[in-house]
Amino acid sequence: MKKIRFGVDLGGTKCSVVAADENLNILKKKVFPTGKEAQPLNLLDDLIKCFHRYKRELGEDSEIVSIGISCGGPLDEERGRILCPPNLPLWDNVPVVDILQDEFHIPAAIRNDADACALAEWMYGAGRGTLDMIFLTFGTGMGAGLILDGKLYKGSKGGAGEVGHVRLSESGPEGYGKKGSFEGYCSGGGIANLAEMTIGRKVSAKELCRMADEGDEEAKQILKISAGYLGRGIAVLIDILNPEMIVIGSIYQRAARHFETEMRKTLKEEALSGNRRACRIEPAALGDRLGDIAGLTAGVELMK
């Protein structure tokens, strides 16, 4: 029998539903739109129908062994519930794991997306072979997944890694409900707010990168400010946790050229030299596959 894993990457704009083999090669994939108006039961019904179709198409010689779900928090991972994330406000105490296990009668698990991405990059991507690695999301928000001494570190109540809430300046763009926070300077929403503060209008990080590539000096300056605070935030992590590697996803992974120089300049000024030299900083190696592999990885971990 061929062992098949199902994975779900549930985000604020889209939900990716995949089937993969034991080596996490993607065999089937479908993407559903989500958004803040997404109705949980409707989306879960679509997801379940999709998985049933995958089972039929993959044939009777295939055995479904796990379902893994990656989703932004807050979550109750032990009880398998989504607890009203900011980007999915209608998903209030939704028992997604129970719903899927009752439907398919196979083990299912859910993980915070930063933790799931950290595990994915550590097990299959840039962080392979390391014992101490930090993954930074740098996407819609800024969060961290912490691999310390060869295992995922979650803290006493599962709240470790909320680096986006750390204040890096007394005032500045708002992110994570706090002005001048790491997320305020280094996230999609934060960079748009930074643009509004700097040039009087919100501009997305994607558009700013395009403008900077075309030589726009204002766009370059906004991204330079973000890059400097990225270096400052990373310096804090390096000096506290002394990791071997920091892997950065999403915006940085797609546009490192706009962040690398200023980030490293600030890092050299802010971090202890020995800790800085011990740490490699890399973009996520899994690229656009990261969310899918993250969802699958939650199921892989479940089977260990």
Side-chain angles (χ1 to χ4, degrees):
M1 297 284 283
K2 296 180 293 186
K3 295 187 183 300
I4 302 296
R5 302 186 185 278
F6 287 163
V8 179
D9 178 28
L10 179 56
T13 57
K14 63 182 176 65
C15 175
S16 177
V17 184
V18 301
D21 64 17
E22 285 191 277
N23 297 317
L24 302 198
N25 296 307
I26 307 297
L27 304 174
K28 303 282 183 180
K29 178 172 178 174
K30 185 173 177 61
V31 177
F32 300 95
T34 54
K36 290 190 175 183
E37 302 304 315
Q39 295 289 335
L41 294 182
N42 291 345
L43 183 60
L44 284 169
D45 186 56
D46 288 341
L47 189 155
I48 287 167
K49 289 177 180 176
C50 187
F51 279 154
H52 277 300
R53 190 177 75 251
Y54 289 171
K55 284 184 68 176
R56 292 193 301 271
E57 292 174 351
L58 289 166
E60 294 182 359
D61 63 339
S62 297
E63 177 189 10
I64 314 303
V65 296
S66 66
I67 301 175
I69 307 149
S70 169
C71 181
L75 310 171
D76 183 338
E77 293 185 8
E78 289 189 6
R79 297 170 64 214
R81 291 173 177 259
I82 299 173
L83 305 178
C84 199
N87 58 356
L88 293 168
L90 300 182
W91 293 66
D92 187 8
N93 202 28
V94 177
V96 59
V97 166
D98 284 348
I99 290 170
L100 292 175
Q101 287 186 152
D102 289 346
E103 180 71 26
F104 294 99
H105 307 290
I106 57 175
I110 189 168
R111 278 201 185 277
N112 173 280
D113 56 354
D115 290 343
C117 286
L119 285 168
E121 282 290 333
W122 181 57
M123 295 168 68
Y124 306 104
R128 282 179 296 179
T130 63
L131 278 177
D132 299 283
M133 186 205 88
I134 298 170
F135 176 81
L136 297 178
T137 58
F138 201 172
T140 303
M142 170 59 84
L146 309 175
I147 306 293
L148 303 179
D149 197 22
K151 58 187 177 182
L152 180 67
Y153 179 77
K154 298 184 63 60
S156 62
K157 297 293 184 180
E162 298 292 3
V163 299
H165 199 243
V166 175
R167 195 188 301 275
L168 298 180
S169 70
E170 287 300 315
S171 62
E174 183 172 324
Y176 211 140
K178 183 183 285 186
K179 291 182 179 179
S181 64
F182 197 1
E183 184 166 303
Y185 284 104
C186 300
S187 68
I191 289 173
N193 290 336
L194 179 60
E196 186 174 33
M197 292 178 63
T198 306
I199 61 175
R201 60 189 177 93
K202 286 194 175 185
V203 184
S204 70
K206 182 178 181 180
E207 179 66 8
L208 285 168
C209 290
R210 184 195 64 76
M211 292 164 61
D213 285 335
E214 294 175 355
D216 187 289
E217 293 301 324
E218 288 183 328
K220 289 181 182 179
Q221 182 60 26
I222 293 165
L223 294 173
K224 183 177 180 180
I225 293 169
S226 176
Y229 280 97
L230 178 62
R232 185 171 295 189
I234 288 174
V236 172
L237 296 173
I238 283 177
D239 283 345
I240 293 174
L241 296 175
N242 189 204
E244 295 170 68
M245 177 179 282
I246 292 177
V247 179
I248 314 176
S250 198
I251 294 170
Y252 183 87
Q253 173 241 313
R254 296 185 182 96
R257 61 193 180 280
H258 294 302
F259 296 91
E260 181 85 6
T261 300
E262 189 66 20
M263 178 269 287
R264 292 195 180 275
K265 176 177 176 290
T266 304
L267 188 58
K268 189 173 182 179
E269 295 168 352
E270 296 286 336
L272 292 169
S273 60
N275 288 0
R276 174 174 52 81
R277 286 194 295 268
C279 181
R280 290 182 290 149
I281 300 171
E282 302 285 348
L286 295 174
D288 292 338
R289 298 171 60 232
L290 178 55
D292 296 334
I293 302 301
L296 291 162
T297 298
V300 171
E301 284 293 287
L302 185 69
M303 302 301 290
K304 289 188 173 182

